[in-house]
Amino acid sequence: MSSDVTQPQVDSIYKPLPKVTGWRLFLKTVIARAYPRLIGQQREKSWMFFDIFLPMLAVSAYVFVYRAIQAPEDYVGFAVMGGAMTAFWLNVLWSMSSQLYWEKEQGNLALYIIAPNQMMAILLGMALGGMLATALRAVAIIFLGTILFNVTFVVSSFLQLLVVFMLSMTALYGMGMMMASLFLLLSREAWHLSNLAQEPIYLVSGFYFPIKSFPFWIAAGASIIPLTLGLDAMRQLIFASGPALGFVSVKLEVSVLLVLCVVFLVGAKLLLDYMEKLAIREGRLTESRR
Amino acid sequence: MLNLHKSEFWRSFRVATWLGWQIESNWADPLLFVIYSIVKPLASASILVVMYGIITNSNFQNPLFPYIYLGNAFYIYVGAVMGGVSWAVIDDREHYKTLKYMYVAPIKIPVYLLGRGVARFLTGSISVFITILAGVVFLKVPIVLQQINWPLFFLSLLIGIVMLAMMGLLLGSITLLLVHHSFGIAEGVAGALYLFSGAIFPLEVLPAWLRPVGFAMPITYWLELLRRSLVGNVAQAFPTLAGFSNLDLFGILVVLSVAFGILAIYAFRWCDYRARERGLIDRVTNY
């Protein structure tokens, strides 16, 4: 360093960052963890192709099945909507539930625990970043599906639609945060469990057909997955035949979604605390079992 | 010399099969593994069954239903065999980081990759069997054991599996050169073929300009032969391939399978050479 630089100048350059605590730290952590999810998307745009192309293939296949059996045109819209929502479910499975397992495999999990921030903030950041990035894909799938298959929307209430969507996402990502804690203690099973939780959930949650088709108690049981009621309510609000094919009223679905939001977010906090302690005690945070 | 080659071929295949089975099955206890192998394909088939049931008021006697159901059931082999062979490249290179050791071992790499697909073929076979059994028992899919054309069934199945393995080798060859998206390529191709091969709907439902893609794919003829061998009356219900006799379809399947086989062998030679030349065999992309 040059001798004509004074100590105060050095101090001003190397001034330590102000200590951030409390809710500011929480917020900064959320933003910091959400940032790579959004920026990563921009840095590798070609991922968007696969993220949209693969669900579109499934959607197209189901649309052509509906066409082959001469289903009413609204069912084509149901399939397109369901296909778009699969993007959120896959994001929750692979980028929320399994995320802590991936972090453990790559050695980042111990760093998360060591850093002076809350794990809940990290999970929330992952959820927010993932949700925003996935929303872009979902919109693209709906847009393409609408163009390709001439889907007609008849939106009865934009406000209700927005409320249902936001509640569904909050509950869904809350569920993802809760599952992340459970998956933390899994090894390769995490990969297989995520893989297993795709088609069965598409089935019971009615991603490609109205959930009303199931007996009441099966549909009610499937409602533990927020997308079941969220998707049903959204279909009721945007398709002409939606209300007739809805499971229960939109109001009731909104109420249940509210309850699910609270249950999953509180559950996520409690489980995360418990699993973190357990993992530290058993020394499984840094293990890598291939 | 010939014996040595045979021995190397067989050893590569046998060891790869054993290794593939260990990797596929040893993450869980056998019961969980069986559940895993059954639930996924049954759920997938059930989506189609519910969709069909809602619209047709559960008219499962219509020939379209076995067409959809059997096409979907046998399509499990496409993802399993084709994906199993090509996935071995990613698994060994990126996950276990052992591909370079495989290359220096006294084995034939293409045969090794084909062997790695056998485990998925076995688990896929269980899934196909369970799916079809569920269809026959619960949904009255009209399969009568005495009326099945067994020679046609087994011959078509065998040629189809070899054809899928060679398509998997083709994808695996391309994967050797890919840095990005190697993870999505098998899934993408399987998804696209699901759409274009008339697996779950007759090809005439597709827009006319897309149908030629379906006609160029051996999987289209393979699935049709399997359907015809199991439930013969299905063929008359749809005009797409009704003009072809079983022998015609079989001939087309064999010719297209041989073509894809030759393509796969040459593609592997070229991609393998390029991968070695560019130092890609031991690359870990962390992508």
Side-chain angles (χ1 to χ4, degrees), chain A residues 53-126:
Chain A
F53 173 70
L54 291 180
M56 269 314 290
L57 288 176
V59 168
S60 305
Y62 289 130
V63 166
F64 286 124
V65 169
Y66 273 137
R67 294 247 160 103
I69 54 180
Q70 290 159 355
E73 275 303 301
D74 269 1
Y75 280 83
V76 171
F78 288 2
V80 170
M81 275 297 291
M85 290 299 123
T86 59
F88 289 107
W89 179 247
L90 290 177
N91 185 251
V92 163
L93 275 183
W94 294 103
S95 300
M96 285 295 300
S97 306
S98 313
Q99 189 63 35
L100 293 185
Y101 158 68
W102 303 128
E103 303 286 9
K104 186 169 75 170
E105 287 284 301
Q106 292 173 356
N108 289 337
L109 186 61
L111 302 178
Y112 284 162
I113 306 270
I114 293 166
N117 50 32
Q118 286 191 38
M119 282 296 288
M120 194 68 182
I122 288 175
L123 281 177
L124 200 57
M126 282 188 336

Side-chain angles (χ1 to χ4, degrees), chain A residues 44 46-47 50 54 57 60-62 64-66 68-69 71 75 188-189 192 195 199-200 202-203 209 213 290, chain B residues 23 26-27 36 39-40 43 46 48 50-52 54-55 64 95 180-181 184 188 191-192 195 200-201 205 287:
Chain A
E44 188 50 80
S46 55
W47 266 117
F50 275 92
L54 291 180
L57 288 176
S60 305
Y62 289 130
F64 286 124
V65 169
Y66 273 137
I69 54 180
Y75 280 83
R188 277 192 296 154
E189 293 91 333
H192 289 284
N195 210 10
E199 285 82 358
Y202 297 163
L203 171 67
F209 49 81
S213 320
R290 290 176 189 277
Chain B
I23 292 171
N26 77 349
W27 59 272
Y36 174 82
V39 168
K40 219 172 137 66
S46 301
L48 290 169
V50 175
M51 284 169 62
Y52 181 89
I54 295 168
I55 303 301
L64 185 57
H95 188 200
H180 297 165
H181 311 308
L195 191 62
I200 54 170
F201 52 82
V205 179
Y287 188 64

Side-chain angles (χ1 to χ4, degrees), chain B residues 205-224:
Chain B
V205 179
L206 277 177
W209 59 276
L210 280 177
R211 284 175 214 160
V213 181
F215 284 117
M217 290 296 126
I219 295 171
T220 308
Y221 305 96
W222 177 61
L223 291 173
E224 182 68 6

Side-chain angles (χ1 to χ4, degrees), chain A residues 162-172 226 254-255 257-258 261:
Chain A
L162 185 69
V163 170
V164 166
F165 179 75
M166 292 313 293
L167 284 176
S168 306
M169 289 301 112
T170 308
L172 179 70
V254 166
S255 308
L257 283 172
L258 261 172
C261 288

